[in-house]
Amino acid sequence: MKQAVNIGSRRELFVDDELLMDTGSCRFIAHQPRPREIAVGRDTLADDAWTSYYSIIHNGEKYLLYYTAHGWPGMMEGKWPHQHICRAESEDGIHWVKPHYGVYEFRGTKDNNIVYLLTDDLLDNFGVMYDTNPNCPENERYKALAERVINDVAVLNAVVSADGIHWEDRGTVITDGTFDSLNTCYYDGATGLYHAYTRGWEIHNPSRHIGESDETDFKREDAQKARSIKTFTSKDFYHWSEIGIPLDYGTAHAYQLYTNNVGPYYRAPHMIMGFPTRYYERTFKRMFRELPKGKHMEFKEGEPVGRGVTALSDGIFMVSRDGFNFKRFDDIPIFPSGIEGEGNWIYGDGYGANGMYETPSDRPGEPNVISLLVPDNAYGAMRRYEIRLDGFVSLHAGCEETTILTAPIIFDGSHLEFNYKTTVAGYFYVELLDENKNPYEGFEMSACDEMFGDTVARDVSWQEKFDVSSLKGKPVMMRIKMKECDLYSYRFYA
């Protein structure tokens, strides 16, 4: 028997079996967001040749989108390709503007949205956070980790700002890794620690087939390296753990992961979500030649074609309770390559922006949704996607009735709310048990009112009575009988 976990009134997601004793015939299913409108185009002088590595934050007043703009081939800063950081703003997360901040001159004008630019040096992979630490100095409320190259070695520097427009480099803070990716960071109020997630290399056995092709021109030692994610912690954002800890995915298949987009889920901050990009190298053979990208390439069969040329990518979803051990959902990518067409099935699919936010539904009476920004390479722009609240994963029951059992929990509240979806013939019932699996009086399965429909928030009742406060502070297990039903989350609340 698992020890009772005190969940208080926090929301628990049906994403893993940590708080489950028995899942019956149910299975966890990952869900994909649906595409909506083009939200942010590459449409200004400052956007330059192409853009990448987007970060979304909210400063208490509006949404801010930071991204890297890359120069045309041959446009250099010393020995490095020119890159600078731009910012867009939105009041609602749907309509975005690119103000002229007048900070940096670019191509003869300061009428642009550039907020950080270095001359004669590398500036790349600018991962931004808005610091919610109550002890944070106001002139450092905006923070970023930026890749630099110091003495020919890639490092991460701390960059801070009072307004998110004028930035100051505070020097190198992380050195263990390879940082050509969006390296993310956030503050955890529960522990008082800053967390960073960065790109690194791991040595692997090439026989594991994680997506490096024998037809690429890798050096032999490079072919044994795999792109990976590691994490660091800090008490002050300036002094980080010296060695990064590689993330652990349990028994999941080994894949190369580029970006990470790791951070706490805003509706359940104890759950850490990630949206890494999976990098997979194919070979230049018939099937690749028939992809949209391959139709425009000419190489001899079996000829080494160069690193990354035949690479593909998609975005996958993963979730963790401790920030180190993650459960991945590889078979249903959250940002798939999509049906074959212009701009997809390329290396560049799945590179979503770091950050999510809540927006109203455009249908009357329907609840808010979560919005995410993902590149649409056919248009060279960021498209907004929508997914239901808590809707990344569900525990799904099929056509045969089944029963699940939770681990013992201790709650605080007077009502029990579920986020769920059934078919018109589906349902679920909830029974509240003690640690010996005996029903509490008044909360038997037979007394539970049938639950059906599709809603992000509905309370459970027993003979139309909702109050569960008599069980507050006691160990409680939930036995749930369900059919043709998806459970996304639950919480106890007052």
Side-chain angles (χ1 to χ4, degrees), residues 391-457:
F392 299 103
V393 176
S394 67
L395 185 61
H396 174 78
C399 297
E400 298 298 323
E401 182 180 272
T402 189
T403 301
I404 69 171
L405 180 66
T406 72
I409 56 175
I410 297 173
F411 70 86
D412 182 16
S414 57
H415 289 70
L416 171 58
E417 173 191 277
F418 273 80
N419 178 344
Y420 68 90
K421 176 178 67 175
T422 74
T423 66
V424 295
Y427 55 80
F428 74 98
Y429 298 84
V430 181
E431 183 174 49
L432 302 183
L433 316 172
D434 63 23
E435 285 187 291
N436 295 317
K437 302 181 184 178
N438 297 314
Y440 283 107
E441 185 177 356
F443 301 100
E444 300 88 353
M445 192 79 74
S446 59
C448 185
D449 299 312
E450 185 178 31
M451 304 288 291
F452 62 89
D454 186 347
T455 176
V456 299

Side-chain angles (χ1 to χ4, degrees), residues 13 21 23 65 145 162 167 174 178 243 270 411 448 456 491:
L13 309 180
M21 299 283 289
T23 56
L65 176 68
L145 293 175
W167 293 83
I174 297 178
T178 302
I243 305 298
H270 65 292
F411 70 86
C448 185
V456 299
R491 67 170 182 143

Side-chain angles (χ1 to χ4, degrees), residues 79-136:
K79 64 180 180 179
W80 304 106
H82 174 86
Q83 297 172 139
H84 54 253
I85 308 305
C86 296
R87 178 173 120 162
E89 302 180 2
S90 176
E91 299 291 338
D92 59 8
I94 298 175
H95 306 92
W96 293 83
V97 297
K98 298 177 180 178
H100 291 166
Y101 299 115
V103 179
Y104 293 96
E105 182 174 327
F106 180 69
R107 297 193 176 182
T109 179
K110 286 189 175 182
D111 291 338
N112 59 57
N113 64 326
I114 299 174
V115 295
Y116 200 40
L117 183 153
L118 297 179
T119 57
D120 299 318
D121 206 346
L122 175 73
L123 170 64
D124 200 0
N125 308 313
F126 198 75
V128 182
M129 63 171 282
Y130 185 75
D131 195 348
T132 57
N133 184 346
N135 298 316
C136 172

Side-chain angles (χ1 to χ4, degrees), residues 204 206 208-212 225-226 253-256 279-281:
H204 75 99
R208 295 170 74 186
H209 304 296
I210 64 173
E212 294 294 9
K225 294 179 181 179
H253 188 81
Y255 284 119
Q256 300 211 65
Y279 175 101
Y280 203 88
E281 189 85 50

Side-chain angles (χ1 to χ4, degrees), residues 480-492:
I480 303 174
K481 181 172 64 175
M482 53 196 293
K483 174 184 175 182
E484 296 183 23
C485 174
D486 286 273
L487 300 179
Y488 296 94
S489 67
Y490 68 91
R491 67 170 182 143
F492 293 87

